[in-house]
Amino acid sequence: MNTLDLATRKVQLKKVSSTNGGEWQGPCPDCGGVDRFHVWPNENEGKGAYWCRACGKTGDNIHFMRDFEGMGFKEACAYLGIAVSD
């Protein structure tokens, strides 16, 4: 599951570019800035990346779960099916 999949569960995004696999934008799931939230699904080897130009939150799919779902690192990894060692 990549960042675009996660983000579209929370907000409605619009495709604004097809370059390098595409770019989507819309309201930030946290601060609500109308068109400040950007998602690039092909970044990070297909795991995706996001950035909000208003509140500055940025990261990959793990960061997304931590920022917008309130999960800890291990919980986010488990949800995304990413193995971590103790």
Side-chain angles (χ1 to χ4, degrees):
M1 184 174 309
N2 72 28
T3 307
L4 181 61
D5 299 325
L6 299 171
T8 56
R9 292 180 176 184
K10 300 195 79 61
V11 294
Q12 188 172 35
L13 300 174
K14 179 174 88 172
K15 189 172 186 177
V16 294
S17 173
S18 295
T19 306
N20 297 324
E23 177 179 354
W24 280 254
Q25 76 178 26
C28 176
D30 188 46
C31 74
V34 178
D35 62 352
R36 304 296 188 225
F37 189 72
H38 296 262
V39 176
W40 302 274
N42 286 358
E43 293 293 314
N44 297 316
E45 300 174 0
K47 294 176 184 155
Y50 67 92
W51 171 52
C52 179
R53 291 184 355 215
C55 67
K57 289 188 176 174
T58 186
D60 59 12
N61 53 357
I62 296 170
H63 284 103
F64 187 94
M65 299 307 293
R66 298 182 76 188
D67 282 346
F68 305 117
E69 298 294 342
M71 293 182 180
F73 177 77
K74 287 184 179 182
E75 185 181 10
C77 288
Y79 181 85
L80 296 168
I82 300 168
V84 294
S85 57
D86 289 329

